[in-house]
Amino acid sequence: GVQTQTLNILQQAACGVRFFDIRIAAAVTSQTHASGRPVAELRAFHADDKVVMKLDRNVVLKGTNQPVRVTQSKLAGGAFGLALTEMLQQARNFVHSDLGGKEFLILKFDKCTNWAHIASACWSTLGLSMYTGGGNLNTKTLKDLKGKVVVLFSSKGLSELPPNTNGILGFKNL
């Protein structure tokens, strides 16, 4: 609901939310890397597709020194939200906490850009808390999933990753 949108992932999880529908895009920051390239950050966004302008740019992702190519999203309307890394850290911290250690979270990534960068961030930030057990989630028990963050990508997202991408599962909208 509207109330939870002012809360971050950790706060929403503490309130009982277990499923997060996340849209990620690359936002270019006001920072410039030592190499002279702009610094970009993967961030959540809320905007109608009609007001998002996309352009390919060479940038350095915040927190790294590697130049990468991203599809930058410029929003003519809507807004960028929390950084992906922060959201992943909060999800990981929740499933490692006393409150959330017997629980699991599902992060569904849909309508995103830069899927390979999102996957890399999930692996590096979630680490061992990322669910990599595979199989059909519908038949998993709480015991199978507790203490884990389940990462789901749309079929478009999965198609942009190499095959057998460990720990990233697909979803289909019914």
Side-chain angles (χ1 to χ4, degrees), residues 158-171:
L158 284 179
S159 74
E160 292 188 25
L161 300 180
N164 306 322
T165 306
N166 192 27
I168 296 180
L169 303 173
F171 70 86

Side-chain angles (χ1 to χ4, degrees), residues 22-26 42-45 84 87 109 111-113 118:
I22 301 172
R23 291 180 180 194
I24 298 293
L42 297 174
R43 301 186 76 86
F45 75 98
L84 174 61
M87 292 189 283
F109 292 91
K111 300 180 176 83
C112 301
T113 53
I118 295 169

Side-chain angles (χ1 to χ4, degrees), residues 27-102:
V28 170
T29 69
S30 58
Q31 299 168 306
T32 304
H33 185 261
S35 66
R37 294 181 193 275
V39 174
E41 188 170 36
L42 297 174
R43 301 186 76 86
F45 75 98
H46 300 280
D48 187 294
D49 286 342
K50 293 179 199 74
V51 298
V52 181
M53 185 175 73
K54 295 178 181 153
L55 49 132
D56 287 342
R57 287 193 70 181
N58 291 317
V59 300
V60 174
L61 281 179
K62 189 172 178 178
T64 73
N65 278 313
Q66 291 304 105
V68 294
R69 190 123 179 106
V70 299
T71 300
Q72 174 193 356
S73 295
K74 286 188 167 182
L75 306 184
F80 282 106
L82 275 181
L84 174 61
T85 310
E86 280 179 66
M87 292 189 283
L88 295 171
Q89 288 167 344
Q90 291 170 8
R92 181 195 64 211
N93 293 349
F94 176 74
V95 299
H96 285 200
S97 69
D98 290 342
L99 179 64
K102 293 180 176 67

Side-chain angles (χ1 to χ4, degrees), residues 77-153:
F80 282 106
L82 275 181
L84 174 61
T85 310
E86 280 179 66
M87 292 189 283
L88 295 171
Q89 288 167 344
Q90 291 170 8
R92 181 195 64 211
N93 293 349
F94 176 74
V95 299
H96 285 200
S97 69
D98 290 342
L99 179 64
K102 293 180 176 67
E103 303 281 340
F104 65 93
L105 297 179
I106 297 174
L107 305 181
K108 172 190 166 203
F109 292 91
D110 195 8
K111 300 180 176 83
C112 301
T113 53
N114 305 294
W115 290 98
H117 297 308
I118 295 169
S120 293
C122 289
W123 292 316
S124 62
T125 307
L126 295 173
L128 294 175
S129 60
M130 187 166 159
Y131 175 74
T132 56
N136 183 344
L137 279 184
N138 296 320
T139 61
K140 297 294 172 193
T141 65
L142 186 52
K143 185 178 169 200
D144 296 329
L145 299 173
K146 74 176 183 182
K148 298 291 181 188
V149 178
V150 178
V151 176
L152 303 177
F153 274 23

